[in-house]
Structures are given as structure tokens and as C-alpha cells.
Amino acid sequence: MPRFYITTAIDYVNSRPHLGTAYEKIAADVIARYKRLAGFDTHFVMGNDEHSQNVFKKARENDEDPLAYCDRMAREFLDVWQRLDLSFDDFIRTTEPRHKAGVQELVRRMTAAGDIYEGHYEGWYCVSCEAFKQEKDLVDGLCPIHRTKPDWIREKNYFFRLSNYTQPLLEHFQAQPEFVVPDVRRNEILRLLEGGLDDISVSRAGQAWGIPMPEDPSSVIYVWVDALINYATAVGFGTDTLLFEQWWPADLHVIGKDITRFHCVIWPAMLMSAGLPVPRAVFGHGWVHFRGEKMSKSLGTAIEPLDAVQRFGPDPLRLYLVKEIAFGSDGDFTWERFEERYNVDLANNLGNLVSRVATMAEKYREGRLAPAGEPGRLAEIATSALAEYRQQMDRFALEGGAAAAFRIVDAANEYIASTEPWAIARDASRGAELSQVLFDVAEAVRIAAVMLLPMIPGSAREILRRVGDGTPPDRITLDGAVWRNAGERVLIKGAALWPRVETNQKLRSPSVKENVPTPPTAPWAPPVASPSTSEAVTPLSPPATTDNGAPPPAASPVDSRITIDDFMKVDLRVAKVLAAEKVPNSRKLVKLSIDVGTEQRTLVAGIAEAYEPEQLVGRTIVMVFNLKPAKLMGIESNGMVLAASPDGGKPTLVGFNADVPAGTRVR
Ligand code: ME8
């Protein structure tokens, strides 16, 4: 059986995972699940990067022992990853003994090769990147990624003769053109190599948090050198030779485009120095943006992935990220777009299709479908979509894989519309034709569901169950997804897989944290533990089909109304702006001092693109008074300003056409 070893970047634990970091893990999970489906013995590793200075600082700020802090964060990360249904086989933490042993062994080998020497470093260091920066890397003196001023440091460091590896790396890039994907990243790295490489620091002095240099315990190994080695220590380097031989070299490292230089230059050079094979490929994916900026905790633009999971379960979010963002490019996340795609792809197209075929199977064939002749045109469409899917997924074009599966879904919906099974059913002489049409639709749904298993694993398994595929989940293979015009299927009707959500324009917070309305969760799915949505949820949508599977009449209005008591929980107040200033390094955020009648407060609002600070001073605004405080760009915001952004454009503040005193309640 061919093997496939896949890893993700290991995360800094100074803050919880956000939708951007989750995106990477979901994409890697889709690849890992695809490889398993395609018959590879797959090993999928994720982990946490715990020796960064920010982690140490954060633990100290919390008055916590750094290791105890990392233990607590590891539980939080694992909880999020499990709720996103990630199928990792191992999770490595850089404070584990197996990792420390392997890191020291690798550095020892680099030293034995004559590639480590002692020197002094003087220059910039960005703690958030954990990277030594050159003047030319900075924009207006700031780190372009974190928009903070790096530290100027001068210390004794051990250096790695990276310059010796310019030529071997160039040769490697020639010999293995697929080493860095997509091409845009490969070209970036090639340009860098062609300019020649400088030696780099591989240790830090005067720090206690880290893995000691083997020959000089007064220095710790530079956190990036420590972190990169996780890919080898997770499969036994330095502790379990057999395991290491079984899995190394890695087939694919999935990482963000900001850290390709570490993975495509420093990491392979370290391995070459230690006499080890280099990984087969590195995929540098793009960034998830929120309102045009990289989603990031330090920039205050992070979205909590569990908000989406609590509303819909993990699958709609997984599908959105994989299908809507071309893997390798940047993409945006907005709740509006997410809800729109949820309604179109899941509620209307796939969910409706599954419900229609099961309804018609029950009504016309007591749930039992078997072929009664030759398959119709759906068979050809599904067969070519499956081939296209393989091609796309093999080159990690995950969005293309998802689109191929949805081509079958669309074709099956069109097939129902054009063949009109309910009309065939009225003619007793066309019984065989009806059996075949229904069987074809069920078979198309089965094939699409197998193809969607990597993207929406829980839902795809449920669909397979409903269309009568009894294969145990671990025995389902891509080879089994070929069209089969044979056998009897027992279809099962169930609750709506994805009840529609109402996506009417609501007042959305102009601050970074968006409102997250209470969800319909898929009623068939295992309940998602959530303090805010623990009560039973009734589907909000009308049934997707009529009793005979025909399209429903015009949808009745969806009832998402709340009671007056619900509304009164939100304490809206009038406030006056006393002072306003732009938040440094942010295009969108403005810091307001406001008078709310009984007190003065600080509030951060995302309205800087629409209002100059001077226009805001003296203005009357409406704010949510009883919102929990949130930190945005390091500033604690106490409340949220109300504004409307027509068509997602610039926000306009809610106001009055008469003078209303500060502190007045709005209801
Ligand atoms: O870089 N969109 O950790 P990290 C997409 N510890 N990907 C994003 C993203 C976004 N908005 N924000 C972050 C580190 N990422 C190091 C890695 S590996 C040996 C050490 C990605 O927690 C980012 O590009 O800052 C990286 O691949 C991963 O999340 C972890 O980021």
C-alpha cells in the first residue's frame, strides 16, 4: 500500500486558534482524508509550537507556569480541532521529551557536519514572527505582517552555514519541480535562492524557555529550528528509528505563505546538513482575509471557528473554506457570504436533492430502488466528474474537487426537473422507466457523497446511509465510487440535513467581531456542546420538497422572530462621542471615548474608513451597552456602535433627528 505522510504548521499557543489557522488544518484534513479514500496508508500530524517568547510572556502575564499554560492551551486547541472533525493521527507538542531528544540530535548532526559556528548577531527581531529581520524586510520601520516595531538585539548566537546550501538547494529545485507548490511560491523562493543565501542564527542567548543547544546549555535553540524539526520528531527521529524509516521523508507539508522561506529554504538545508532526505513537497496556501485584511489575533481581525460550528456543525464551514477559496490563493470570509453559500450549496442543492430522492423512493417504491434497464445520462456525467475530481484532488486543487462533486449534484437536480418522475408515476406503463430514473438519481447522490467525504465527512456518511450504501465508513474507497447499475438500495427519509437560514440584512457590528445569530443546527447531527445553543433547535426551513418530491410551492416566510424578552436582553443606549482617534496600524478601527450618561467608556469601532475622527467628536451614537468587553488591536472595547453597511460597503452610523441625552435607553 502506498504511504502518505502529511503535516500542518504547528501553531503558536499565545492565543486560541482562529478561522485562519483553522483553514490550514481543514485543508490538510481534506487532503489526508482524500488520500485515505484513494487507498494510501496515511499519517496526518498536527501540533503546537510552544517555545516562542510570546508564549512565555503570555504565561507570565497570566501568572502561570509556562508549561502549565501550554498544557491548558493544548486542551483548548485539541477541543477546537476535534469539533472541526479533523482526523489527525498524532499531535506533537514541542515541549514533549520525544521532540526535545530529536531536536538536539539533529542539531548535533549539523554541528558534526561542520555547519554550526559561534558568532554575534546584531539586528532586528520580530517576536511575533520569531524572525530575524533585515532593514529591507521592514515597511516604515515595522514588521509588514504584524505592523509592530521589531526589537533591536545584540547577542552571542550560533550560526548555521546556510550559505553553503544555496547551490544544493537550487539543484534540488531543478530536480524536483513539485517541491514547492503552487508555482507562485516556488518562483518567490527561486528568486531568493538565485540572490544567494546568508548564514542564519540558530540559537538565542539569555533565555530559559526553549531547548538547550547540545554543546552549550547557556543558549537555547532558535524557536524556528526547534519547531521545524517537529515534522521529523513526530515520526520518531531521535527516539524510534523504525517509525522514522517507515514515514520519513514527509510527502507534504501544508503551511501558510508567510512561512514558506522557513520551510522551503531553511528546513531542507538543515536536513541536507544532517544527512537526511528532504520532504517531497511543501504547499504554501494563501490567507483567509476578513474585511480585506489577513485574519489574525494580533491584528484584531480573528473570527472564532466554533461560532460557525455551534451554528451549523463542522461541515458547512469546512465546505465553505475549501470550495470558496482556491487552495493557494487568498480568500475572504464574511458571515453573509458563508450563509449565502450554505443556503445555495447545502440547503437548496445537496440537502434538497437527498430529501427529494428519498421522498420519491418511499412514495413510489416503498423506499426500495433497483435498476430496471440501462442508466440515463447521469451515469456519464458522474463518471466524467469523478475523473475530474481525481485529477483536481491529486494536484491539491481542493476547490476543483468540491466543484466536481457539485456538478453531479446540479446535474441530478436538473435530471429530476427534466424527467419529472411524478409525471412518469401517473402512467402505469412507464414503471421500469420510473425505477431507472430514481435509481440513477440515488446512484449519482451516492457517488457525489463519496467524493464529498473528505470535505464534509459527517454529512457525507449520513447521505450514504440515507441512499442505502451500507459499506462501513472505513471500507469506503474512491474506486468504489464508479457507477454501479446493480443491486437494490433501501433509502431512508430523515430530517432536513441543512435547514435554510434567513440571511436578511441585519445591523452588523462595525467592530471586528460580527454578530452571530442563533443557528438552526442540522437536526440529524450529533449535538454540538455549546453553552449558548444547548436548547433543542427546530428547523427553520419549510420542507425542501412536497410529498411526491416535486418542487415545493413558493416558500412560506421563515419564522426567525424573537420574543420581546429576547430583545430586551440587549441594552441599547444613546452615547456622545467625547474624543476619537485612529487606531495605529489599522485602516478600519477608530478608538472612541464616549459618555454614556452614567460613566465614560472606551470603545473601538470599525468605522475609520467612513468617518474622520474630527467628524465623530460631539456626535450622538447608539451603542450596545451590555456587551462583554473585547480586545481589538490591544485596546479593550466596552460596547459596540450600531451602524449599517449597505451591500457590505462603508458603514453609516445609526442616529436621531432630534437631540437625545446620553444614557437614554433605545428600545
Ligand atoms: O507560524 N489565513 O504559527 P502560527 C490562513 N508556529 N492561514 C493562516 C492565517 C490566515 N489568516 N493566519 C495564520 C507559526 N495562518 C509557526 C509555525 S511550523 C514549523 C511553525 C497559518 O500560529 C500560518 O500561515 O502563527 C501558519 O501556517 C499557521 O497558520 C500557524 O500560524
Side-chain angles (χ1 to χ4, degrees):
M1 199 187 223
R3 294 209 168 103
F4 193 79
Y5 173 29
I6 173 170
T7 67
T8 63
I10 54 172
D11 294 0
Y12 291 133
V13 295
N14 45 307
S15 50
R16 279 169 59 75
H18 58 74
L19 204 69
T21 45
Y23 167 64
E24 171 176 289
K25 312 308 183 259
I26 289 171
D29 185 58
V30 170
I31 298 173
R33 286 179 184 271
Y34 169 71
K35 287 290 173 184
R36 290 189 196 108
L37 198 63
F40 286 75
D41 183 10
T42 302
H43 192 60
F44 173 26
V45 175
M46 298 182 9
N48 280 352
D49 187 354
E50 301 185 327
H51 285 134
S52 94
Q53 288 177 58
N54 274 338
V55 169
F56 185 74
K57 260 203 250 160
K58 191 67 189 248
R60 279 289 137 93
E61 271 166 35
N62 292 351
D63 218 5
E64 249 178 306
D65 167 67
L67 192 56
Y69 170 82
C70 291
D71 290 346
R72 184 164 64 75
M73 290 308 282
R75 285 193 293 275
E76 286 198 27
F77 272 74
L78 285 167
D79 175 55
V80 175
W81 300 150
Q82 273 148 10
R83 293 219 242 163
L84 287 169
D85 207 357
L86 303 181
S87 64
F88 47 93
D89 300 290
D90 197 357
F91 191 86
I92 184 152
R93 296 177 49 193
T94 55
T95 48
E96 284 178 61
R98 62 168 170 162
H99 176 70
K100 290 183 181 171
V103 168
Q104 291 197 322
E105 173 59 19
L106 203 126
V107 173
R108 246 183 240 115
R109 291 201 193 183
M110 292 165 70
T111 311
D115 280 336
I116 303 289
Y117 64 94
E118 198 181 321
H120 273 90
Y121 174 80
E122 180 164 7
W124 297 111
Y125 190 85
C126 171
V127 177
S128 294
C129 296
E130 288 286 10
F132 301 88
K133 298 267 172 183
Q134 296 181 0
E135 201 71 48
K136 67 174 166 52
D137 299 331
L138 308 181
V139 176
D140 299 332
L142 304 179
C143 161
I145 296 175
H146 296 96
R147 308 217 192 106
T148 47
K149 188 165 187 281
D151 299 332
W152 184 263
I153 59 168
R154 179 180 158 69
E155 61 187 35
K156 180 184 97 173
N157 277 180
Y158 289 91
F159 285 81
F160 170 41
R161 291 187 203 283
L162 185 63
S163 53
N164 279 356
Y165 290 90
T166 308
Q167 200 47 38
L169 283 169
L170 277 169
E171 283 162 19
H172 181 68
F173 270 67
Q174 286 300 325
Q176 216 172 305
E178 304 279 276
F179 176 56
V180 182
V181 260
D183 276 351
V184 51
R185 314 262 179 270
R186 179 172 192 270
N187 295 338
E188 253 169 53
I189 301 290
L190 265 176
R191 274 197 300 277
L192 189 92
L193 290 174
E194 281 156 8
L197 298 171
D198 295 327
D199 293 352
I200 56 159
S201 293
V202 290
S203 72
R204 296 295 315 271
Q207 289 182 14
W209 184 238
I211 302 176
M213 283 294 283
E215 313 292 333
D216 177 1
S218 70
S219 292
V220 295
I221 294 169
Y222 170 42
V223 63
W224 264 102
V225 169
D226 165 345
L228 287 163
I229 301 173
N230 92 85
Y231 304 127
T233 57
V235 288
F237 178 74
T239 53
D240 186 340
T241 312
L242 279 183
L243 187 70
F244 187 63
E245 279 169 4
Q246 182 184 351
W247 291 110
W248 197 257
D251 293 278
L252 184 66
H253 294 320
V254 177
I255 52 133
K257 65 178 182 181
D258 47 332
I259 56 175
T260 40
R261 198 173 61 89
F262 291 101
H263 284 80
C264 307
V265 176
I266 299 176
W267 177 225
M270 284 166 58
L271 289 163
M272 287 174 181
S273 168
L276 296 169
V278 303
R280 297 206 170 90
V282 178
F283 194 104
H285 62 76
W287 285 338
V288 179
H289 284 179
F290 182 71
R291 297 189 177 158
E293 303 212 37
K294 181 191 180 207
M295 194 177 285
S296 135
K297 271 270 152 80
S298 57
L299 297 177
T301 50
I303 284 192
E304 165 64 59
L306 292 188
D307 282 347
V309 175
Q310 279 163 9
R311 294 180 67 194
F312 302 101
D315 288 346
L317 179 67
R318 292 173 59 105
L319 184 70
Y320 177 88
L321 292 174
V322 169
K323 185 164 177 282
E324 297 306 310
I325 302 178
F327 196 45
S329 306
D330 296 340
D332 253 315
F333 181 90
T334 63
W335 286 109
E336 288 91 342
R337 175 96 182 125
F338 172 62
E339 288 166 0
E340 187 190 306
R341 292 318 309 170
Y342 168 93
N343 277 342
V344 173
D345 290 333
L346 294 175
N348 289 1
N349 289 357
L350 183 55
N352 200 5
L353 175 65
V354 174
S355 146
R356 292 176 94 181
V357 69
T359 301
M360 290 189 289
E362 186 186 81
K363 185 165 172 78
Y364 304 122
R365 292 289 180 269
E366 292 171 345
R368 292 174 182 276
L369 297 182
E374 288 304 306
R377 62 178 182 273
L378 268 185
E380 216 172 285
I381 295 171
T383 305
S384 92
L386 178 62
E388 167 75 8
Y389 171 86
R390 278 184 189 268
Q391 249 178 32
Q392 299 279 358
M393 296 297 284
D394 284 341
R395 58 181 198 89
F396 311 126
L398 310 182
E399 69 289 356
F406 271 86
R407 250 202 317 283
I408 302 182
V409 173
D410 291 343
N413 272 321
E414 277 159 29
Y415 194 62
I416 296 176
S418 64
T419 53
E420 299 190 331
W422 48 93
I424 307 178
R426 285 197 289 269
D427 183 345
S429 69
R430 296 170 72 191
E433 189 186 339
L434 180 62
S435 293
Q436 188 66 47
V437 164
L438 295 181
F439 184 87
D440 284 357
V441 174
E443 180 62 357
V445 172
R446 182 186 74 83
I447 292 171
V450 174
M451 288 158 67
L452 287 169
L453 271 169
M455 291 93 183
I456 50 170
S459 316
R461 279 198 297 271
E462 172 64 10
I463 294 172
L464 288 172
R465 190 184 73 86
R466 290 193 188 188
V467 294
D469 185 341
T471 319
D474 57 338
R475 303 263 297 279
I476 299 172
T477 64
L478 205 52
D479 289 341
V482 292
W483 191 277
R484 285 201 305 259
N485 192 44
E488 187 187 70
R489 311 277 163 82
V490 181
L491 275 73
I492 301 162
K493 265 178 75 168
L497 288 165
W498 295 287
R500 267 185 75 82
V501 283
E502 189 59 1
T503 56
N504 54 354
Q505 270 304 97
K506 5 180 194 297
L507 278 185
R508 282 178 185 271
S509 157
S511 77
V512 180
K513 177 96 179 118
E514 288 209 330
N515 297 327
V516 182
T518 312
T521 44
W524 55 270
V528 179
S530 148
S532 58
T533 57
S534 52
E535 61 272 63
V537 185
T538 338
L540 297 181
S541 65
T545 49
T546 56
D547 245 11
N548 64 2
S556 62
V558 173
D559 190 353
S560 56
R561 289 170 293 187
I562 59 171
T563 64
I564 185 75
D565 290 339
D566 290 329
F567 173 70
M568 293 308 269
K569 284 185 201 152
V570 185
D571 189 350
L572 298 175
R573 300 265 179 111
V574 176
K576 302 267 181 207
V577 179
L578 302 173
E581 57 178 287
K582 284 203 165 166
V583 173
N585 304 322
S586 169
R587 277 191 291 124
K588 312 220 165 179
L589 298 181
V590 60
K591 178 178 152 191
L592 305 177
S593 284
I594 53 165
D595 173 11
V596 278
T598 47
E599 62 184 286
Q600 282 186 16
R601 283 194 181 184
T602 300
L603 185 148
V604 179
I607 53 175
E609 284 186 320
Y611 297 92
E612 287 304 321
E614 314 67 272
Q615 290 174 280
L616 292 166
V617 177
R619 195 170 177 125
T620 302
I621 57 168
V622 179
M623 56 138 355
V624 182
F625 183 76
N626 59 342
L627 199 67
K628 284 190 182 149
K631 266 208 168 157
L632 302 171
M633 298 287 281
I635 305 167
E636 188 175 278
S637 180
N638 282 283
M640 183 180 95
V641 175
L642 294 195
S645 301
D647 298 322
K650 288 191 178 170
T652 300
L653 285 166
V654 169
F656 300 98
N657 58 9
D659 195 28
V660 184
T664 310
R665 207 167 162 189
V666 180
R667 45 180 78 165

